[in-house]
Amino acid sequence: MRRNLPRRWTCLILGGALLMPYMMAGVLVAGLWRGASPDLLMPIQVGVFVAVLPVVAVTGLFLPVRALEVNAAQGLLGARVETPPRQARRSWQERRRTAAWFTLHLAVGGVVSGFTLAVVPFTMFTMALPVIGEPMPVLGLTAEPGWPSVLWAAAGVGALALLVAGAAGAGALLAALAPPLLGPTPAERLAAAEDHARTLAERNRLARELHDSVGHALSVVTLQAAAAGRVLDRDPATARTALAAIEQSARAALEDLDHVLGVLREDTRADGRADAHADGRDDAGADAGEDGREGRREGHREAGEEGRRAPQATLADLPALVAGSGAEVRQDVGDLSGVPAVVSREAYRILQEALTNAIRHGGGTVRLAAAVQGEDLRLEVSNASGRHGERHGERHGGRRRRGGGRGVDGMRERVRLLRGDLRAGPDEDGWTVSVRLPLRPSP
């Protein structure tokens, strides 16, 4: 309390200074209304003070004073005010809160400032009375030399102590009311939560894309490297073909990885700028905090747009996916030209993950089917598993991966977002992934 008192007192004096133009205008209007000469140097009338408070509230509704008040509350009152996000249009809920705080700040600050201007000179004058040693008029009374002047000095010190206690209480009151009145409104918190949710959704999408792309590429690289090692001596041409497939898959995965890391780096940089502003809010003020939050949202928005602008594979790229997998795939693909773009992109990733799992854990020929049936897109990938898969892994010099991955979970999440159905599990022939995706969103 003692450490914050000087700064809080300064904040109260600032409120009194902001109130002075209203008081002077009120005294001028009151003087003209009474027909008397207005005294602009002594605007202390209680009636004028009460009359100008509604005017202060109205100006708080429309003037952009929130940033100034947040700055004062954070830097002078020491209040932990969460920096509100900047919005294109101010809501009336925010305007009412800001007006209430602005009126309270100026009203309390005006009272404390008035008593400060009166009590401090009064205390200094009364403390000088015992030294003067002559009768002096004080508040309409006469302070005689001797003990009466000492009593007047004690009264002056008591008045100063009451002023300090009142200023401390007023500062604590404003510091307690600053967070609920100047902080984000429920609507602003909801908007921030939605923005955060969009950011998490975008990051989750990028994680799924990276998992599908890099996981598929590594599976293809493992398979082709094993094949190249087996035929390197007796069939160099086939080995070169396998190595070319490895190069192509690795380059594609590297491009996807570089793109995703670039998007996340820009996103993290925007978060860092916002956090730097928030850490230095006592020096830079509320404007810096708002700029930081705006920069964060802008960075997230740019990252999302960058992610959407990046070329994404669709079912039209399915032949290239199968050709580059290095596995023996028997395809049964119908006409997919009428599949919507969103469904086509997600279907491609589902087939990519299913094909990756078939290469990694299965053996023998992979059967892949994709066709439009009525209002749905049907996908199916099946292959031999179990012992065949183990022998397949041994023949290719690889080791079966222990533990489960995120492949099936990622496919299930994509299907759920499109309100489709997924079945993945063993059957009499091995392992089958069967998916149904609606072509049009259901009502």
Side-chain angles (χ1 to χ4, degrees), residues 404-428:
R406 292 180 47 88
V408 176
D409 291 338
M411 288 190 291
R412 184 171 287 109
E413 185 175 355
R414 292 179 187 274
V415 171
R416 184 174 63 251
L417 290 175
L418 294 177
R419 299 185 178 182
D421 301 317
L422 178 141
R423 186 183 65 84
D427 57 16
E428 57 183 11

Side-chain angles (χ1 to χ4, degrees), residues 359-371:
I359 295 173
R360 184 180 299 166
H361 304 297
T365 302
V366 179
R367 295 180 297 277
L368 186 152

Side-chain angles (χ1 to χ4, degrees), residues 44-64:
I44 60 174
Q45 290 86 344
V46 177
V48 174
F49 173 77
V50 174
V52 300
L53 291 183
V55 181
V56 174
V58 172
T59 56
L61 287 173
F62 298 99
L63 292 180

Side-chain angles (χ1 to χ4, degrees), residues 190-222:
L190 179 60
E194 291 175 347
D195 181 71
H196 183 62
R198 284 192 296 269
T199 301
L200 292 181
E202 180 64 20
R203 289 181 176 180
N204 192 31
R205 185 189 69 81
L206 291 174
R208 290 198 309 268
E209 298 289 336
L210 188 60
H211 170 270
D212 294 346
S213 176
V214 176
H216 175 75
L218 291 178
S219 297
V220 171
V221 166
T222 302

Side-chain angles (χ1 to χ4, degrees), residues 94-326:
E94 179 268 320
R95 290 173 185 266
R96 288 191 295 269
R97 290 187 177 199
T98 302
W101 167 263
F102 188 61
T103 305
L104 181 65
H105 183 199
L106 268 62
V108 176
V111 173
V112 173
S113 299
F115 276 102
T116 301
L117 293 175
V119 172
V120 173
F122 173 76
T123 301
M124 296 176 63
F125 177 73
T126 56
M127 292 182 65
L129 290 177
V131 180
I132 295 176
E134 297 180 0
M136 297 293 294
V138 181
L139 300 178
L141 302 176
T142 301
E144 298 293 339
W147 284 108
S149 62
V150 174
L151 294 177
W152 276 108
V157 173
L160 182 61
L162 290 176
L163 173 63
V164 172
L173 175 65
L174 291 181
L177 293 177
L181 292 179
L182 293 178
T185 64
E188 290 171 334
R189 292 184 184 277
L190 179 60
E194 291 175 347
D195 181 71
H196 183 62
R198 284 192 296 269
T199 301
L200 292 181
E202 180 64 20
R203 289 181 176 180
N204 192 31
R205 185 189 69 81
L206 291 174
R208 290 198 309 268
E209 298 289 336
L210 188 60
H211 170 270
D212 294 346
S213 176
V214 176
H216 175 75
L218 291 178
S219 297
V220 171
V221 166
T222 302
L223 179 65
Q224 296 286 9
R230 291 197 317 273
V231 301
L232 181 61
D233 295 331
R234 66 176 184 270
D235 194 351
T238 302
R240 283 194 295 270
T241 302
L243 293 175
I246 291 175
E247 179 185 6
Q248 180 181 359
S249 298
R251 182 178 291 111
L254 184 60
E255 290 177 355
D256 289 344
L257 179 63
D258 182 67
H259 166 69
V260 171
L261 292 180
V263 172
L264 293 178
R265 189 179 298 115
E266 289 298 325
D267 198 7
T268 304
R269 193 174 301 162
D271 288 343
R273 287 196 299 267
D275 292 339
H277 283 301
D279 292 340
R281 62 173 177 251
D282 287 346
D283 298 327
D287 280 338
E290 290 184 358
D291 290 342
R293 288 180 177 271
E294 184 68 20
R296 174 182 294 182
R297 287 198 301 274
E298 188 65 27
H300 292 163
R301 190 180 304 114
E302 291 176 357
E305 292 175 355
E306 178 66 22
R308 287 187 291 270
R309 284 196 301 265
Q312 299 183 26
T314 64
L315 290 176
D317 302 300
L318 190 57
L321 173 68
V322 173
S325 66

